[in-house]
Amino acid sequence: MPELPEVEVVAAALRAAVIGRRVVEVVVRERRLRRAVPRDLPQTLRGRCVTGVSRHGKLLRMILDEGAVVLALHLGMSGTLRLRRAAEPLERHDHVAFALDDDHALVFHDPRRFGLIRPAPVGDPLRQNRGLDPVQDGFTAEALATLTRKRRRSIKSTLMDQSLVAGLGNIYVNEILATAGIRPGRASGRLSRREHEAIVTATRTVLWAAIERGGSSISDFRHADGKSGGFQTQFLVYDRAGEPCRRCRGVIRRRVLGGRSTFYCPRCQR
DNA sequence: CGCACCCCCTGCCGGC
DNA sequence: TGCCGGCAGGGGGTGC
């Protein structure tokens, strides 16, 4: 589920609620995430103070004691981070709970267990998520042209490659290409300068609109306070196969590209 | 290099 | 009603 806008919404909530709090205890109920949660995680974090929260692409980092420890968190497909009162009992799929010194707990919940929680070496991003963050300054038409030069790979799979551009997933890439008027299967290296610019502009527009609406909640994404996002009602194409295009008289099509469902309007995307 | 497949895991939905 | 296949916002690996 969570792509850049959803992760940004979670990061903002954590910045507001967790910075300045001390980790009192860490309860690990299920270690088997995408990679095993280290056995010594509680001991590594206990007593440390949260001094910052950052996000790059879909990866969250909780900075403890000014960087003495950095905890990397990834929500995978079905992960959420919720703030709960310490007294509330844990539920099924609540895998890790960080008890804080204000009688609340930050709870990592992830039915599919594709998420990740592990201490990260300071300043060293995980191997994936190294790409340009598309809401930061470096994501420009020139940068996109450089990344795609002479590549035949489709623009959709290029934009979803986290080592090139970090944070876009299947929903937002579909929406961005619809907004930019470009077909997902186009070879990225053959796009014009103007088209690269359209993609960069559309990316900013779509991501900021989604962040403002609190992200998209398709089935299980929730904010740290349990609320749903609202951007799913604004989709131009995602999961709208057979439905009318919102901007022309076309009908949205679905095809599979790189193993993922791909939606586009054949009339206004070229 | 790029893709077509696999895998990981649970939940939900539609068809029978 | 129940079972089964397909699909889902994530990433990683292999082989062609």
Side-chain angles (χ1 to χ4, degrees):
Chain A
M1 70 68 344
E3 303 181 33
L4 188 151
E6 291 76 30
V7 179
E8 179 58 34
V9 167
V10 171
L14 295 188
R15 285 183 196 114
V18 175
I19 289 179
R21 301 273 62 82
R22 194 169 295 280
V23 178
V24 174
E25 188 52 276
V26 179
V27 176
V28 180
R29 300 167 80 215
E30 175 59 83
R31 298 180 58 227
R32 295 172 302 165
L33 304 184
R34 195 170 91 218
R35 294 168 65 158
V37 177
R39 285 184 195 283
D40 60 0
L41 187 73
Q43 157 189 344
T44 304
L45 301 184
R46 195 181 296 131
R48 294 197 182 271
C49 188
V50 182
T51 53
V53 172
S54 70
R55 178 198 61 74
H56 185 87
K58 301 172 193 171
L59 193 68
L60 277 170
R61 286 197 190 77
M62 224 161 73
I63 294 117
L64 297 115
D65 288 346
E66 309 288 352
V69 173
V70 175
L71 189 68
L73 301 118
H74 195 292
L75 302 178
M77 198 81 123
S78 58
T80 57
L81 278 167
R82 302 265 295 263
L83 276 160
R84 295 241 178 80
R85 299 202 167 273
E88 287 183 60
L90 294 179
E91 296 170 7
R92 185 163 151 80
H93 304 310
D94 286 346
H95 303 314
V96 180
F98 305 87
L100 306 174
D101 62 358
D102 63 352
D103 230 35
H104 281 72
L106 182 65
V107 179
F108 176 76
H109 173 98
D110 185 10
R112 292 178 75 177
R113 289 194 271 122
F114 290 166
L116 184 72
I117 296 183
R118 65 156 199 187
V122 178
D124 179 36
L126 298 188
R127 194 166 3 146
Q128 73 282 11
N129 280 289
R130 267 194 189 161
L132 293 169
D133 188 289
V135 298
Q136 308 281 75
D137 291 340
F139 185 66
T140 61
E142 301 83 70
L144 197 53
T146 304
L147 288 176
T148 58
R149 192 152 44 211
K150 294 186 180 172
R151 299 293 165 87
R152 288 189 213 172
R153 189 179 184 184
S154 71
I155 184 61
K156 185 186 182 217
S157 104
T158 300
L159 292 172
M160 284 181 72
D161 183 335
Q162 304 297 301
S163 69
L164 303 176
V165 181
L168 305 181
N170 203 32
I171 291 181
Y172 291 103
V173 166
N174 276 296
E175 292 301 303
I176 286 162
L177 292 174
T179 303
I182 294 166
R183 293 223 186 169
R186 293 273 305 280
S188 57
R190 297 202 182 166
L191 296 177
S192 67
R193 165 75 189 208
R194 184 174 290 273
E195 287 171 322
H196 282 137
E197 279 168 5
I199 288 172
V200 167
T201 304
T203 300
R204 298 228 172 84
T205 305
V206 169
L207 295 181
W208 283 118
I211 291 167
E212 268 180 33
R213 291 198 165 247
S216 304
S217 292
I218 290 189
S219 60
D220 44 19
F221 172 69
R222 291 294 180 277
H223 297 181
D225 61 4
K227 289 185 185 143
S228 297
F231 192 68
Q232 63 279 6
T233 62
Q234 313 287 305
F235 291 161
L236 292 178
V237 292
Y238 183 79
D239 205 22
R240 297 193 64 240
E243 295 178 35
C245 176
R246 298 190 198 278
R247 293 170 304 178
C248 76
R249 266 170 263 152
V251 175
I252 306 304
R253 278 192 200 156
R254 173 185 185 271
R255 60 179 279 219
V256 175
L257 210 62
R260 313 295 294 271
S261 282
T262 302
F263 303 91
Y264 65 100
C265 170
R267 213 158 161 255
C268 52
Q269 287 175 255
R270 295 290 167 182

